[in-house]
Amino acid sequence: MAIFLNDVSRTFGEYLLIPGLTTKECTPTNVSLRTPLVRYRKGEKSKIELNIPFVSAIMQSVSGPELAIELARHGGLSFIFGSQPVESQAEMVRKVKKFKAGFVVSDSNLTPENNLADVLALIEKTGHSTIGITCDGTPNGKLLGLVTSRDYRPEKDGTEKKVSEFMTPFSKLHFGRAGISLSDANQIIWDNKLNTLPIVDAEDNLAYFVFRKDYDSHRENPNELSGEDKSLLVGAGINSRDYKERVPELIDAGADVLCIDSSDGYSEWQRETLEWIKGKYGNSVLVGAGNVVDSDGFNYLVDAGADFVKVGIGGGSICITREQKGIGRGQATALIDVAKARTEYFNRNGIYVPICSDGGIVHDYHVVLALAMGADFLMMGRYFARFDESPTKKLRIGNNYVKEYWGEGSNRAQNWQRYDSGGSENLKFEEGVDSYVPYAGKMKDNINVTLSKIKATMCSCGAISIPQLQNSAKITTVSSISIVEGGAHDVILKEQNR
């Protein structure tokens, strides 16, 4: 006979937080949203800690390089979608890693014998206006000069004009020697009012560039998530089919963490994938797994080596897995169950394995509920798909602007690997829809409002950190009538000015 669970499958919308004592210490400026991304032993720290508890979904319509850059600048992390050829996914990872690395290896280089047409073509290809002129056109050749947008006028100079005629020669450049600290390099930039400082070795070979904009960017984004080399952190999605080819390419491209992307992670396919990665790379490669909805699935993946576990099946706004297959669980109930298993695992083994709540977020306060119920961080798709930085088109439908948003289980994505159950390589039925979401503008303008709401809610709960929230939050279930009571009711709302 089947096993029947007595608990009701509940969603975040069925709960409210009870206020705790708000002390004078509980102000939004004192709230820390720092949280571990990957497993760690008791008494130690996680190898990667997020500055805000957000990661973006492993989806074609969400996690491209532009969104990954912007999210990392705000303290979160993106997982570049894996439903594409490994070469293009690896290139997206490289683009994020190159965006800001303090000392940047130049990927825009020419020789003095090239012409203005070559300069313009290279700028069109890379989007970079600073070009290193080296003896052989390589990133590490002898530096002979520099070309920036101030060195030529396309409307006046002929496209056949040689670079040697308009570049700023090495003799007129300020530069630093290899081995200089980033702080000293930035000081040279500041003292001499420069935008770019080339770094050369003892033989005057180009080693790096240091850019003023990177320093300014860091000042404007104090929560920026970066590594010791100052490059932004980025993750990448993988599947349980071609991981032996995909993983090495992604690691070579600089991916800081991987995640197996699947609608149902409680499978031998994921165990084999985890065991192969850990057997080949040990703990030098960090990899999450999922998705699961109960303690059995969590323990299975953790025993196989998962560094974090994603929780949630069928709760995403574009996901129809529950409708199509009848499997899943209310996101709140699943999260509570897995969080309990995570605590029991920690008590048994002294190893803390973070859990990621994936799906079910409708309102900003649901984020606080998810954290209070035990999530260490959240993966969101619809939330990020609305922004300028997501890779989809902005369209006008009627009087409203929208952005395209489709599920990885839709025919449009054709990501059969995510729903793989063995057998033939095709998508036999859809588990996701093709849709639109309301356009919301730039990420920065929206995420700051969301974070402000989260911090204010935590303060009302008497907590200024995520662990404190998890230890002291009081949560109650709500009736359908009290949900109505919680919104505007029994009044006639004034029409909003458009």
Side-chain angles (χ1 to χ4, degrees):
M1 185 175 179
I3 299 171
F4 287 86
L5 304 182
N6 293 322
D7 60 333
V8 177
S9 189
R10 297 189 182 277
T11 66
F12 294 132
E14 297 177 78
Y15 292 91
L16 285 175
L17 292 151
I18 302 294
L21 174 63
T22 303
T23 66
K24 293 180 180 180
E25 183 186 31
C26 292
T27 61
T29 54
N30 287 336
V31 173
S32 169
L33 296 176
R34 197 168 177 83
T35 189
L37 179 72
V38 294
R39 69 161 69 199
Y40 61 92
R41 290 190 173 275
K42 185 176 182 180
E44 299 178 355
K45 289 182 65 175
S46 175
K47 288 183 179 179
I48 299 178
E49 290 186 332
L50 302 172
N51 291 324
I52 62 171
F54 292 164
V55 299
S56 65
I58 311 170
M59 300 173 67
Q60 296 173 17
S61 56
V62 179
S63 293
E66 288 77 17
L67 190 130
I69 288 168
E70 192 65 13
L71 182 52
R73 294 174 74 191
H74 285 87
L77 182 135
S78 286
F79 287 90
I80 301 295
F81 68 93
S83 50
Q84 61 177 317
V86 63
E87 295 81 10
S88 57
Q89 187 186 18
E91 188 54 38
M92 288 184 180
V93 170
R94 288 190 183 94
K95 185 173 182 179
V96 179
K97 298 305 290 185
K98 289 177 180 178
F99 176 77
K100 178 187 180 298
F103 294 103
V104 180
V105 176
S106 177
D107 62 357
S108 296
N109 306 281
L110 293 171
T111 74
E113 295 304 309
N114 285 107
N115 56 32
L116 181 55
D118 297 323
V119 170
L120 298 176
L122 186 58
I123 292 172
E124 177 70 21
K125 178 182 177 182
T126 66
H128 301 151
S129 59
T130 300
I131 299 174
I133 308 304
T134 60
C135 62
D136 55 5
T138 65
N140 301 117
K142 187 178 180 66
L143 184 63
L144 302 179
L146 208 62
V147 168
T148 70
S149 58
R150 294 179 298 181
D151 292 317
Y152 58 88
R153 295 181 296 175
E155 68 279 5
K156 295 284 187 180
D157 298 323
T159 56
E160 295 303 314
K161 189 174 184 179
K162 285 192 174 184
V163 167
S164 59
E165 298 178 46
F166 59 85
M167 72 180 187
T168 302
F170 182 72
S171 60
K172 293 185 178 181
L173 293 175
H174 292 280
F175 61 88
R177 289 291 180 189
I180 189 174
S181 70
L182 186 59
S183 177
D184 288 342
N186 282 321
Q187 191 62 49
I188 294 174
I189 289 174
W190 182 261
D191 290 342
N192 295 282
K193 300 180 180 179
L194 306 174
N195 289 323
T196 307
L197 181 73
I199 307 297
V200 298
D201 64 17
E203 285 76 41
D204 294 337
N205 296 310
L206 178 60
Y208 307 103
F209 283 134
V210 177
F211 294 99
R212 184 189 189 95
K213 65 179 178 63
D214 289 343
Y215 175 74
D216 293 338
S217 172
H218 181 69
R219 289 180 59 198
E220 293 170 4
N221 298 281
N223 284 329
E224 191 173 82
L225 190 67
S226 56
E228 293 182 0
D229 63 355
K230 305 301 180 184
S231 65
L232 299 178
L233 300 193
V234 63
I238 60 173
N239 61 67
S240 56
R241 278 273 183 166
D242 66 1
Y243 57 90
K244 292 181 182 179
E245 294 76 36
R246 190 172 293 269
V247 170
E249 292 287 336
L250 294 173
I251 297 304
D252 185 64
D256 298 285
V257 58
L258 306 174
C259 184
I260 306 172
D261 182 31
S262 174
S263 65
D264 178 9
Y266 189 10
S267 74
E268 290 185 344
W269 308 112
Q270 286 216 11
R271 185 180 191 94
E272 288 179 1
T273 304
L274 288 166
E275 289 176 345
W276 183 86
I277 293 172
K278 292 302 179 179
K280 184 175 177 64
Y281 297 99
N283 292 324
S284 65
V285 171
L286 306 172
V287 55
N291 286 17
V292 301
V293 292
D294 65 3
S295 58
D296 291 341
F298 171 83
N299 287 318
Y300 184 82
L301 293 178
V302 171
D303 288 342
D307 290 298
F308 67 85
V309 175
K310 286 205 298 160
V311 179
I313 294 177
S317 60
I318 41 71
C319 184
I320 55 173
T321 295
R322 296 180 194 173
E323 186 178 301
Q324 292 281 58
K325 295 169 63 176
I327 66 166
R329 199 176 194 185
Q331 187 64 15
T333 302
L335 188 56
I336 292 167
D337 191 9
V338 175
K340 181 181 177 182
R342 188 263 318 280
T343 300
E344 292 172 350
Y345 186 89
F346 177 70
N347 291 336
R348 286 197 312 271
N349 302 290
I351 298 173
Y352 187 91
V353 182
I355 56 177
C356 168
S357 179
D358 180 14
I361 300 298
V362 179
H363 304 291
D364 288 342
Y365 79 88
H366 288 172
V367 172
V368 185
L369 274 168
L371 296 172
M373 291 173 177
D376 295 282
F377 57 97
L378 294 88
M379 178 172 280
M380 297 186 291
R382 181 192 60 84
Y383 179 86
F384 291 113
R386 304 172 300 145
F387 302 149
D388 283 325
E389 294 83 2
S390 74
T392 62
K393 295 177 182 177
K394 182 176 77 171
L395 306 171
R396 182 168 182 168
I397 298 181
N399 294 321
N400 300 308
Y401 283 102
V402 297
K403 292 206 76 177
E404 295 179 300
Y405 180 47
W406 61 90
E408 289 297 293
S410 67
N411 275 323
R412 181 170 183 174
Q414 285 296 314
N415 185 8
W416 64 268
Q417 295 96 332
R418 189 177 196 272
Y419 303 88
D420 186 20
S421 298
S424 60
E425 302 179 3
N426 58 59
L427 197 64
K428 293 183 173 62
F429 57 89
E430 292 184 280
E431 293 189 44
V433 299
D434 198 343
S435 64
Y436 302 109
V437 289
Y439 168 65
K442 294 184 180 298
M443 181 191 297
K444 182 176 183 179
D445 298 332
N446 290 273
I447 202 167
N448 286 337
V449 173
T450 297
L451 294 175
S452 294
K453 289 182 184 179
I454 292 169
K455 290 178 179 181
T457 304
M458 288 175 62
C459 288
S460 293
C461 293
I464 59 172
S465 70
I466 293 173
Q468 192 176 358
L469 176 72
Q470 292 170 341
N471 289 329
S472 62
K474 294 180 286 184
I475 302 172
T476 182
T477 54
V478 295
S479 68
S480 58
I481 295 176
S482 67
I483 292 174
V484 173
E485 180 188 61
H489 60 91
D490 301 319
V491 295
I492 299 172
L493 295 177
K494 295 179 180 180
E495 289 190 15
Q496 298 293 320
N497 292 324
R498 297 295 180 185

